[in-house]
Amino acid sequence: GENVEQHPSTLSVQEGDSAVIKCTYSDSASNYFPWYKQELGKRPQLIIDIRSNVGEKKDQRIAVTLNKTAKHFSLHITETQPEDSAVYFCAASKGGSYIPTFGRGTSLIVHP
Amino acid sequence: DTEVTQTPKHLVMGMTNKKSLKCEQHMGHRAMYWYKQKAKKPPELMFVYSYEKLSINESVPSRFSPECPNSSLLNLHLHALQPEDSALYLCASSQQGGDEKLFFGSGTQLSVL
């Protein structure tokens, strides 16, 4: 089955800095890669996703890049703000499965 | 309506109690999920219903019993739970047919005494 590795487990940055979270996956058939943000005590929420026919996608301060050859994808957050503090989970799934395999999560702390 | 609604938000139960968790969505999604989540860990898949039929059971103990009365509702019946079952129970839904985005409910924080 699919295996998703996520690093780092904890990331501490100063407000205004950039943050990068990296994930690798094992199944070359995976073709959908979402990122979920979970604030303390709240539900996971999809913040951005990318499909395997695209190399990069941006939405305001967040972007995701995908390298299919190396089987890794990354989340980039620029100009971090305290409200970006949360646990971020990457995931991978393949068409027809609808069942994502989650990474172990990254706890992002943005210091004011 | 882009919400998945779960009730109750919090539940405390003894090991001999029977209780049910409820989940509802009105987005027309045909896949519904139960996940279990421990603090700062990823959600762990328990069950998947596809078009109201149970399609995946991730070897979950029989003290957890899912039910899908119709395409909008999902229940999780709990009986004779153990303290280690204490966790956040998340319901999710997705629109099958090529869109794999998961929409999560706010969850039920369950404590088993």
Side-chain angles (χ1 to χ4, degrees):
Chain A
E2 175 65 278
N3 181 49
V4 177
E5 299 280 343
Q6 183 172 348
H7 299 281
S9 57
T10 305
L11 181 57
S12 184
V13 300
Q14 288 296 126
E15 183 176 0
D17 288 351
S18 294
V20 180
I21 302 170
K22 298 183 180 182
C23 290
T24 60
Y25 60 99
S26 60
D27 189 342
S28 56
S30 289
N31 59 3
Y32 176 65
F33 307 93
W35 286 88
Y36 291 88
K37 174 185 180 182
Q38 188 173 24
E39 296 176 61
L40 190 62
K42 297 196 175 179
R43 74 186 80 190
Q45 287 196 291
L46 180 72
I47 55 170
I48 196 167
D49 56 8
I50 193 167
R51 297 186 186 275
S52 59
N53 58 348
V54 176
E56 182 175 5
K57 185 176 178 181
K58 287 184 181 178
D59 183 3
Q60 299 183 342
R61 293 187 298 108
I62 60 173
V64 58
T65 58
L66 171 65
N67 183 325
K68 280 192 298 182
T69 303
K71 290 191 280 191
H72 66 72
F73 56 112
S74 300
L75 178 71
H76 304 254
I77 307 174
T78 58
E79 300 173 22
T80 53
Q81 300 167 4
E83 51 265 38
D84 294 329
S85 297
V87 179
Y88 291 79
F89 295 102
C90 65
S93 66
K94 44 192 175 187
S97 157
Y98 311 107
I99 310 298
T101 299
F102 287 92
R104 296 178 66 81
T106 296
S107 180
L108 174 63
I109 304 162
V110 181
H111 299 281
Chain B
D1 185 357
T2 58
E3 287 278 319
V4 177
T5 304
Q6 285 188 248
T7 56
K9 293 193 183 305
H10 302 275
L11 179 62
V12 179
M13 59 188 290
M15 289 189 284
T16 58
N17 292 159
K18 286 185 181 181
K19 297 286 185 182
S20 296
L21 310 184
K22 296 185 183 301
C23 175
E24 189 169 4
Q25 58 88 14
H26 295 287
M27 295 179 278
H29 289 174
R30 303 315 300 263
M32 295 187 77
Y33 310 71
W34 281 115
Y35 282 89
K36 173 184 177 181
Q37 188 181 30
K38 295 279 195 178
K40 295 199 173 181
K41 300 292 185 185
E44 297 173 40
L45 183 65
M46 300 175 72
F47 303 104
V48 181
Y49 274 83
S50 175
Y51 292 87
E52 302 165 49
K53 293 191 188 318
L54 182 65
S55 61
I56 294 178
N57 177 342
E58 291 287 295
S59 302
V60 179
S62 59
R63 58 186 183 267
F64 296 91
S65 175
E67 178 195 19
C68 188
N70 60 53
S71 61
S72 300
L73 294 175
L74 187 66
N75 298 323
L76 186 63
H77 304 296
L78 314 173
H79 173 55
L81 295 192
Q82 304 297 309
E84 59 265 29
D85 296 322
S86 298
L88 180 67
Y89 288 84
L90 292 161
C91 173
S93 68
S94 68
Q95 176 64 56
Q96 289 191 310
D99 188 342
E100 303 94 324
K101 293 183 174 72
L102 282 181
F103 290 78
F104 285 93
S106 296
T108 295
Q109 187 65 54
L110 174 66
S111 296
V112 182
L113 305 178

